[in-house]
Amino acid sequence: QALEEAQKAIQQLFGKIKDIKDKAEKSEQMVKEITRDIKQLDHAKRHLTTSITTLNHLHMLAGGVDSLEAMTRRRQYGEVANLLQGVVNVLEHFNKYMGIPQIRQLSERVKAAQNELGQQILADFEEAFPSQGTKRPGGPSNVLRDACLVANVLDPRIKQEIIKKFIKQHLSEYLVLFQENQDVAWLDKIDRRYAWIKRQLVDYEEKYGRMFPQEWYMTERIAVEFCHVTRAELAKIMRTRAKEIEVKLLLFAIQRTTNFEGLLAKRFSGCTLADGTVKKPEVPPPSTNPFLEDETGTETDEIVIEKSDMDKPKKPKVPDNPFHGIVSKCFEPHLYVYIESQDKNLGELIDRFVADFKAQGPPKPNVDEGGAVLPSCADLFVYYKKCMVQCSQLSTGEPMIALTTIFQKYLREYAWKILSGNLPKTTSSSGGLTITSLLKEKEGSEVAKFTLEELCLICSILSTAEYCLATTQQLEEKLKEKVDASLVERINLTGEMDTFSIVISNSIQLLVQDLDAACDPALTAMSKMQWQNVEHVGDQSPYVTSVILHIKQNVPIIRDNLASTRKYFTQFCIKFA
């Protein structure tokens, strides 16, 4: 009975659910009937709004085209600039309606008006700034200023044509004044070229600065075109008069030119040179390498080497001046004159070092301050640094490789002529001194010892070779930073560093041989000792006293003179032991 009641309750529940479902379907149908009319009204409203908007645009377009044609004839460029942009924007709305004849006709009228405007503006500029003759009429007019605003809206070629013609006309006087056959065209009067353009840019700013829109960068464009023209003109005249180019003249011209390029970099962003995007230069971290001290230094700069410098980080390349090489590139084919001059100068410098060493003699012993580094090596590297900085400002290409080859040549010459060439000569055979060979000599023979001055000289040459080795390593690093990335692999001063290492090794060997030779007579006496004749035991044998005496005489002198290069004093001790 309970089960039957439950079944009846379920049936009743199903019946109620079905009723609710039926009512819901009826309600939905009713809503659809109600909203059908509302949807129709919505569609009608949207179409009506679109039609009204399009008709308004059509009215604006038709009126705008008529006004545009009328204003163009009256040269009302100020109004045209704003109106033309509006007409072009409105015309974009009708791109999908170009199949309609009336719309297509309006579009063609706009294009015709644009073409007419372009030709008319070019004609106005030609009239105001005639390309024939160098005489310019008075200052700019408001008409031309407004015409530039119109040109911004027109085909970019119109703007480019205006810029090109104006700059060409502006620089026409320059080409006449500095013709190849003129006296002022040669390198010794290169300053006058840069003075001329500075005056012209000031003149332009005063007369025409407000005529052209700022975003045209006209001042920079004039300067850049001047640079291109100057580079071509200088290259041409230098090819013609190549035999007249001397080093001083070439360096003078390059210095003045790079100064001018630096001035341009301070004044302009360089956005007209390439794609118009200019990155702000990153500020490099402070320098820690002694070869990276202020590169504007003079010949009196000194390069100070510290042993910890090898572990310090390298300075990254300073971002390039966007105008670097824009004119000075023309001097690169003639830099062989500079390289040959440096070859000659360095040859004379080495000869002077040799002569000075002979005239002044070896450095005086100075046991208080340690072995002195020969002053000539600091002079050599200061000169190297000056040459490297100068050459890198001229070119970072093949001339830097040529200069590196010259550097290598004279590093080797310095090592052999100044360092190895002045090491005191030993009286031993080329095989070197050994205990065995000395014991074979006749009893009582004395091997010539080095004097105090000669010992100090050997220590001084050793210290100098170490200085040269460390500085050559830094020179190589600096050259690699200066040169183009594609040429880095061609810079290798390992051979020269090995040469200085050989000088160091030879110096240590000489010191060891000298001490060997000093101790030898005592050791010979020991080997000849008649032990069977010794009756009483003494405190210390005479030969031991003699050896100790020689070591006490030599080693402190060597130690004090190698105070600045402790590791090589240690090497000397180990080799002697």
Side-chain angles (χ1 to χ4, degrees):
Q1 188 178 358
L3 186 64
E4 284 174 0
E5 286 176 2
Q7 284 175 338
K8 284 178 185 176
I10 289 168
Q11 284 174 354
Q12 287 172 359
L13 185 63
F14 269 116
K16 287 177 182 177
I17 290 169
K18 193 172 181 300
D19 287 345
I20 291 167
K21 188 180 176 185
D22 290 342
K23 285 176 183 175
E25 285 175 355
K26 285 177 184 176
S27 299
E28 188 180 351
Q29 189 64 34
M30 197 181 300
V31 169
K32 279 183 180 177
E33 287 173 4
I34 293 168
T35 57
R36 189 186 300 125
D37 295 337
I38 296 172
K39 279 184 180 177
Q40 282 179 340
L41 287 170
D42 277 345
H43 285 309
K45 182 186 173 186
R46 188 161 62 250
H47 292 319
L48 190 61
T49 305
T50 306
S51 301
I52 291 168
T53 305
T54 306
L55 283 169
N56 277 337
H57 283 157
L58 184 60
H59 175 68
M60 286 163 63
L61 182 63
V65 171
D66 290 338
S67 301
L68 191 63
E69 289 171 343
M71 288 175 183
T72 301
R73 286 192 292 273
R74 292 198 295 272
R75 284 181 164 75
Q76 292 174 308
Y77 295 133
E79 292 83 353
V80 166
N82 295 324
L83 179 62
L84 180 59
Q85 187 62 61
V87 168
V88 170
N89 291 341
V90 168
L91 192 59
E92 286 175 5
H93 292 289
F94 289 94
N95 283 341
K96 53 189 174 185
Y97 303 123
M98 283 302 168
I100 301 168
Q102 290 88 339
I103 302 295
R104 190 167 59 250
Q105 187 182 0
L106 280 171
S107 174
E108 286 166 1
R109 281 175 65 189
V110 171
K111 284 179 185 173
Q114 285 176 314
N115 290 336
E116 187 185 342
L117 267 171
Q119 297 306 317
Q120 191 170 296
I121 288 169
L122 288 175
D124 289 348
F125 269 93
E126 180 62 36
E127 186 182 337
F129 305 100
S131 52
Q132 300 300 319
T134 56
K135 291 286 181 185
R136 285 202 294 271
S141 65
N142 290 334
V143 173
L144 293 180
R145 187 185 65 199
D146 293 339
C148 291
L149 299 175
V150 176
N152 264 341
V153 186
L154 296 172
D155 188 328
R157 283 177 295 184
I158 302 294
K159 171 183 161 184
Q160 294 301 328
E161 189 68 22
I162 292 170
I163 291 170
K164 185 179 169 185
K165 281 190 174 182
F166 181 81
I167 293 175
K168 186 180 177 184
Q169 198 275 340
H170 214 71
L171 295 178
S172 55
E173 180 188 339
Y174 174 66
L175 291 169
V176 175
L177 288 174
F178 294 90
Q179 274 180 2
E180 195 176 339
N181 56 2
Q182 295 294 326
D183 186 42
V184 289
W186 189 227
L187 301 180
D188 59 342
K189 295 186 177 63
I190 200 165
D191 276 344
R192 297 195 186 179
R193 292 176 181 269
Y194 304 132
W196 183 88
I197 190 62
K198 286 174 193 172
R199 287 196 305 273
Q200 289 301 311
L201 292 179
V202 170
D203 182 55
Y204 165 81
E205 291 284 2
E206 288 175 359
K207 289 185 179 177
Y208 307 103
R210 295 183 180 180
M211 188 170 86
F212 295 100
Q214 274 192 337
E215 64 271 18
W216 285 23
Y217 301 106
M218 283 301 287
T219 318
E220 183 176 320
R221 288 180 192 276
I222 293 169
V224 168
E225 184 59 26
F226 166 82
C227 291
H228 292 321
V229 170
T230 302
R231 187 172 70 188
E233 290 294 311
L234 287 174
K236 189 164 65 175
I237 196 169
M238 283 193 289
R239 277 197 302 272
T240 310
R241 300 171 65 174
K243 290 180 181 177
E244 297 177 43
I245 299 174
E246 295 173 352
V247 179
K248 283 185 179 177
L249 181 63
L250 183 68
L251 290 180
F252 166 78
I254 291 172
Q255 185 195 14
R256 291 292 190 270
T257 302
T258 49
N259 287 350
F260 175 69
E261 288 170 351
L263 196 69
L264 291 180
K266 288 178 186 174
R267 174 71 177 80
F268 304 117
S269 64
C271 59
T272 64
L273 291 171
D275 57 0
T277 57
V278 179
K279 291 182 181 176
K280 284 190 178 179
E282 295 174 9
V283 179
S287 162
T288 53
N289 188 323
F291 237 112
L292 300 168
E293 61 195 26
D294 182 18
E295 291 176 354
T296 57
T298 61
E299 286 184 55
T300 56
D301 287 348
E302 239 184 86
I303 304 159
V304 182
I305 301 298
E306 294 176 11
K307 292 180 177 62
S308 59
D309 286 333
M310 299 301 118
D311 308 321
K312 291 182 181 177
K314 292 180 190 175
K315 177 184 177 185
K317 280 195 176 180
V318 176
D320 290 334
N321 162 6
F323 294 92
H324 177 65
I326 192 168
V327 179
S328 55
K329 199 83 176 167
C330 68
F331 298 111
E332 202 162 301
H334 304 277
L335 284 179
Y336 67 88
V337 177
Y338 171 77
I339 302 296
E340 287 169 4
S341 161
Q342 294 311 324
D343 190 2
K344 183 185 171 188
N345 289 349
L346 281 165
E348 290 172 357
L349 193 65
I350 296 291
D351 291 343
R352 197 187 84 207
F353 290 160
V354 172
D356 287 352
F357 195 93
K358 285 178 182 173
Q360 296 167 9
K364 299 292 179 285
N366 189 355
V367 293
D368 295 330
E369 296 180 14
V373 172
L374 297 177
S376 57
C377 72
D379 294 344
L380 179 70
F381 281 106
V382 167
Y383 189 81
Y384 269 14
K385 182 185 174 188
K386 178 190 162 194
C387 293
M388 178 181 64
V389 171
Q390 202 170 45
C391 190
S392 66
Q393 288 170 349
L394 311 180
S395 167
T396 53
E398 286 295 334
M400 281 292 279
I401 301 297
L403 188 70
T404 303
T405 308
I406 300 292
F407 283 178
Q408 290 173 293
K409 173 183 171 182
Y410 289 104
L411 282 172
R412 289 192 297 271
E413 283 208 12
Y414 186 83
W416 297 126
K417 286 186 178 178
I418 309 294
L419 303 182
S420 290
N422 287 306
L423 280 173
K425 302 294 183 284
T426 59
T427 54
S428 70
S429 64
S430 58
L433 290 166
T434 61
I435 297 295
T436 316
S437 65
L438 287 164
L439 289 178
K440 289 176 184 173
E441 294 181 13
K442 291 180 183 177
E443 188 174 355
S445 66
E446 280 289 329
V447 178
K449 280 185 80 232
F450 290 141
T451 62
L452 176 63
E453 286 77 12
E454 286 174 328
L455 283 176
C456 291
L457 173 60
I458 294 170
C459 292
S460 183
I461 286 173
L462 193 156
S463 299
T464 304
E466 189 207 18
Y467 177 94
C468 291
L469 177 64
T471 315
T472 301
Q473 187 176 349
Q474 292 184 350
L475 175 66
E476 181 185 70
E477 289 170 6
K478 191 62 186 164
L479 284 166
K480 285 182 177 179
E481 286 178 30
K482 292 283 184 188
V483 80
D484 290 340
S486 58
L487 301 174
V488 167
E489 294 301 319
R490 289 171 60 186
I491 291 178
N492 185 357
L493 303 185
T494 309
E496 289 64 44
M497 288 187 250
D498 290 345
T499 303
F500 289 117
S501 296
I502 291 168
V503 174
I504 291 169
S505 182
N506 289 347
S507 302
I508 292 171
Q509 192 62 35
L510 275 178
L511 295 171
V512 171
Q513 285 175 5
D514 181 57
L515 193 50
D516 257 356
C519 296
D520 185 66
L523 296 169
T524 306
M526 180 187 75
S527 68
K528 305 289 186 184
M529 186 86 173
Q530 300 296 320
W531 294 102
Q532 65 272 26
N533 297 337
V534 177
E535 292 180 3
H536 304 289
V537 177
D539 180 36
Q540 188 168 278
S541 302
Y543 55 81
V544 175
T545 307
S546 177
V547 168
I548 290 171
L549 180 67
H550 288 306
I551 290 177
K552 279 187 174 178
Q553 279 177 346
N554 279 32
V555 176
I557 295 168
I558 295 167
R559 181 195 62 212
D560 292 341
N561 275 278
L562 293 181
S564 59
T565 55
R566 200 73 185 164
K567 63 180 177 180
Y568 292 118
F569 173 68
T570 308
Q571 272 190 36
F572 156 76
C573 293
I574 291 166
K575 283 198 175 184
F576 174 67

